[in-house]
Amino acid sequence: MSIPKIELHLHIEGAAPPAFIRGLAQEKGTNLEGVFNKDGSYRFENFNQFLSVYEAACTVLTGPDDFGRLTTAVLEQSIEQGVIYTEAFLSPDFCGGGDVGAWREYMHAMQEAAAKLPQIEMRGIITCIRHFGPDQAKTAAICARETAGEFITGFGMGGDEMQGTQGDFAYSFDMAREAGLRLTTHAGEWGGAESVWQAVRDLKVERIGHGVQAIDDPALVDHLAEHQIVLEVCPGSNVALGVYADWRSHPIERLRERGVPVTVSTDDPPFFHTTLSEEYDLLGHHFGWEEETIRAVNVTAANAAFCDAATRDKLLKALEPAS
Ligand code: ADE
Ligand code: ZN
């Protein structure tokens, strides 16, 4: 497909090719027992195992240079998919443990790696991890506040949505907002429509990571449509993790038809054996998405991107059909 793509929801560590992680483990003599299947893919059977394997894989990413190399590998993967702009979730917890000085070095390594690839534009969303708790989230928010700027443009939260409430993290989100950062949080992936309401009401985010379980509450669907709160939908991730049994039962098309602004991303593509092109192919296959819809969804993503006006204009121009 020749339409350029914009991806708003990609975890940098979750996008690590398994071979890249295995290579680092070998270099460092780290035993990653239990992380891989015999065929070399990541090994997990449910969301909690996914989180454990994800964190185990992260143990071989020990310094800024590793994250610089990871950024190159991930962006090269995205370029191959026709992605011209990507927002990556970056976690200070995996980059120096929340220390601001250390984080700065990791961030510079990723920013420098991205600057070497002119085919793609990258922005970072600093992400706290919900199951690490609200106190640890504050250290991520401080890193975000101290490095907010051209590259770090957003703040968000991933991790286990069933731990605590969205509102437990309001202090960190308020700090990030005051630093001028744009906000998103994972909600309505596992925690139901109530979690999406919490995200909107208690964290005042302008985008929602996943948000798909909003479909179960018609008033919430109306609210998202009325306030044009953008969903970062990752259908392949939802199906791989069992949020929905199959593509046919995924609500992305029903949400779109009801006027909710939806975008399409891959979340952690090698974990879920997906690519962004494959996501669009399957949306075409199951829901009849054709070029016009795909272009419109990417225009929605460009308008919702956490970037400056000049970059947005450039993205919107790239999305105009050739005349
Ligand atoms: N971190 C990486 N992928 C995630 C997901 N799908 N949900 C929550 N946290 C994550
Ligand atoms: Zn995610």
Side-chain angles (χ1 to χ4, degrees), residues 89-109:
F89 291 119
L90 313 176
S91 309
D93 290 299
F94 299 133
C95 298
D99 176 80
V100 176
W103 160 249
R104 236 182 247 289
E105 289 181 25
Y106 281 82
M107 183 198 75
H108 283 139

CSV table of all heavy atoms in Angstrom, one decimal, residues 89-109:
chain,number,residue,atom,x,y,z
A,89,PHE,N,6.7,4.9,23.0
A,89,PHE,CA,6.7,4.9,24.5
A,89,PHE,C,8.1,4.6,25.0
A,89,PHE,O,8.6,3.5,24.7
A,89,PHE,CB,5.6,3.9,25.0
A,89,PHE,CG,4.2,4.3,24.7
A,89,PHE,CD1,3.4,3.4,23.9
A,89,PHE,CD2,3.7,5.5,25.1
A,89,PHE,CE1,2.1,3.8,23.6
A,89,PHE,CE2,2.4,5.8,24.9
A,89,PHE,CZ,1.6,5.0,24.1
A,90,LEU,N,8.6,5.5,25.8
A,90,LEU,CA,9.9,5.3,26.4
A,90,LEU,C,9.8,5.3,27.9
A,90,LEU,O,9.1,6.2,28.4
A,90,LEU,CB,10.8,6.5,25.9
A,90,LEU,CG,10.8,6.8,24.4
A,90,LEU,CD1,11.7,8.1,24.1
A,90,LEU,CD2,11.3,5.7,23.6
A,91,SER,N,10.4,4.3,28.5
A,91,SER,CA,10.2,4.2,30.0
A,91,SER,C,11.5,4.5,30.7
A,91,SER,O,12.4,3.6,30.7
A,91,SER,CB,9.8,2.8,30.3
A,91,SER,OG,8.7,2.4,29.5
A,92,PRO,N,11.6,5.6,31.5
A,92,PRO,CA,12.8,5.8,32.3
A,92,PRO,C,13.0,4.6,33.3
A,92,PRO,O,14.2,4.4,33.7
A,92,PRO,CB,12.4,7.1,33.1
A,92,PRO,CG,11.5,7.8,32.2
A,92,PRO,CD,10.7,6.7,31.5
A,93,ASP,N,12.0,3.9,33.6
A,93,ASP,CA,12.2,2.7,34.5
A,93,ASP,C,13.2,1.7,33.9
A,93,ASP,O,13.9,1.0,34.6
A,93,ASP,CB,10.9,2.0,34.8
A,93,ASP,CG,10.0,2.9,35.7
A,93,ASP,OD1,10.4,3.1,36.8
A,93,ASP,OD2,8.9,3.3,35.2
A,94,PHE,N,13.2,1.6,32.6
A,94,PHE,CA,14.1,0.6,31.9
A,94,PHE,C,15.3,1.4,31.4
A,94,PHE,O,16.2,0.8,30.8
A,94,PHE,CB,13.4,0.0,30.7
A,94,PHE,CG,12.2,-0.8,31.0
A,94,PHE,CD1,11.0,-0.7,30.3
A,94,PHE,CD2,12.2,-1.8,32.1
A,94,PHE,CE1,9.9,-1.5,30.6
A,94,PHE,CE2,11.1,-2.5,32.4
A,94,PHE,CZ,9.9,-2.4,31.7
A,95,CYS,N,15.4,2.7,31.7
A,95,CYS,CA,16.5,3.5,31.2
A,95,CYS,C,17.1,4.3,32.3
A,95,CYS,O,17.0,5.5,32.4
A,95,CYS,CB,16.0,4.5,30.1
A,95,CYS,SG,15.3,3.7,28.6
A,96,GLY,N,17.8,3.5,33.2
A,96,GLY,CA,18.5,4.2,34.3
A,96,GLY,C,17.6,4.2,35.6
A,96,GLY,O,18.0,4.8,36.6
A,97,GLY,N,16.5,3.5,35.6
A,97,GLY,CA,15.7,3.3,36.8
A,97,GLY,C,15.0,4.6,37.4
A,97,GLY,O,14.7,4.6,38.5
A,98,GLY,N,14.9,5.6,36.5
A,98,GLY,CA,14.1,6.8,37.0
A,98,GLY,C,15.1,7.9,37.4
A,98,GLY,O,14.6,9.0,37.7
A,99,ASP,N,16.4,7.7,37.3
A,99,ASP,CA,17.3,8.8,37.6
A,99,ASP,C,17.4,9.8,36.5
A,99,ASP,O,17.6,9.4,35.3
A,99,ASP,CB,18.7,8.2,37.9
A,99,ASP,CG,19.8,9.2,38.1
A,99,ASP,OD1,19.8,9.7,39.2
A,99,ASP,OD2,20.5,9.5,37.1
A,100,VAL,N,17.2,11.1,36.7
A,100,VAL,CA,17.1,12.0,35.6
A,100,VAL,C,18.4,12.1,34.8
A,100,VAL,O,18.3,12.2,33.6
A,100,VAL,CB,16.7,13.4,36.2
A,100,VAL,CG1,16.7,14.5,35.0
A,100,VAL,CG2,15.3,13.4,36.9
A,101,GLY,N,19.5,12.1,35.5
A,101,GLY,CA,20.8,12.3,34.8
A,101,GLY,C,21.0,11.1,33.8
A,101,GLY,O,21.4,11.2,32.7
A,102,ALA,N,20.7,9.9,34.3
A,102,ALA,CA,20.9,8.7,33.5
A,102,ALA,C,19.9,8.7,32.4
A,102,ALA,O,20.3,8.5,31.2
A,102,ALA,CB,20.7,7.4,34.4
A,103,TRP,N,18.7,9.1,32.7
A,103,TRP,CA,17.6,9.1,31.6
A,103,TRP,C,18.0,10.0,30.5
A,103,TRP,O,17.9,9.7,29.3
A,103,TRP,CB,16.3,9.6,32.2
A,103,TRP,CG,15.3,10.1,31.2
A,103,TRP,CD1,14.9,11.4,31.0
A,103,TRP,CD2,14.8,9.3,30.1
A,103,TRP,NE1,14.1,11.4,29.9
A,103,TRP,CE2,14.0,10.2,29.3
A,103,TRP,CE3,14.9,8.0,29.7
A,103,TRP,CZ2,13.4,9.8,28.2
A,103,TRP,CZ3,14.2,7.6,28.6
A,103,TRP,CH2,13.4,8.5,27.8
A,104,ARG,N,18.6,11.2,30.8
A,104,ARG,CA,19.0,12.1,29.8
A,104,ARG,C,20.0,11.5,28.8
A,104,ARG,O,19.9,11.7,27.6
A,104,ARG,CB,19.8,13.3,30.5
A,104,ARG,CG,19.2,14.6,30.2
A,104,ARG,CD,20.0,15.7,30.9
A,104,ARG,NE,19.3,16.4,31.9
A,104,ARG,CZ,18.3,17.2,31.7
A,104,ARG,NH1,17.9,17.5,30.5
A,104,ARG,NH2,17.7,17.8,32.7
A,105,GLU,N,20.9,10.6,29.3
A,105,GLU,CA,21.9,10.0,28.4
A,105,GLU,C,21.2,9.0,27.5
A,105,GLU,O,21.4,8.8,26.3
A,105,GLU,CB,22.9,9.3,29.2
A,105,GLU,CG,23.9,10.3,29.9
A,105,GLU,CD,25.0,9.7,30.7
A,105,GLU,OE1,25.3,8.5,30.3
A,105,GLU,OE2,25.5,10.3,31.6
A,106,TYR,N,20.2,8.2,28.1
A,106,TYR,CA,19.5,7.2,27.3
A,106,TYR,C,18.7,8.0,26.2
A,106,TYR,O,18.6,7.6,25.1
A,106,TYR,CB,18.5,6.4,28.2
A,106,TYR,CG,19.1,5.3,29.0
A,106,TYR,CD1,19.8,5.6,30.2
A,106,TYR,CD2,19.0,4.0,28.5
A,106,TYR,CE1,20.3,4.5,30.9
A,106,TYR,CE2,19.6,3.0,29.3
A,106,TYR,CZ,20.2,3.2,30.4
A,106,TYR,OH,20.7,2.2,31.2
A,107,MET,N,18.0,9.1,26.7
A,107,MET,CA,17.2,9.8,25.7
A,107,MET,C,18.0,10.4,24.5
A,107,MET,O,17.6,10.3,23.4
A,107,MET,CB,16.5,11.0,26.4
A,107,MET,CG,15.6,11.7,25.6
A,107,MET,SD,15.2,13.3,26.2
A,107,MET,CE,16.6,14.3,25.9
A,108,HIS,N,19.2,10.9,24.9
A,108,HIS,CA,20.1,11.5,23.8
A,108,HIS,C,20.5,10.4,22.8
A,108,HIS,O,20.5,10.6,21.6
A,108,HIS,CB,21.3,12.2,24.4
A,108,HIS,CG,20.9,13.5,25.0
A,108,HIS,ND1,21.5,14.0,26.1
A,108,HIS,CD2,20.1,14.5,24.5
A,108,HIS,CE1,20.9,15.2,26.4
A,108,HIS,NE2,20.1,15.5,25.4
A,109,ALA,N,20.8,9.2,23.4
A,109,ALA,CA,21.2,8.1,22.5
A,109,ALA,C,20.0,7.7,21.5
A,109,ALA,O,20.3,7.5,20.3
A,109,ALA,CB,21.5,6.9,23.3
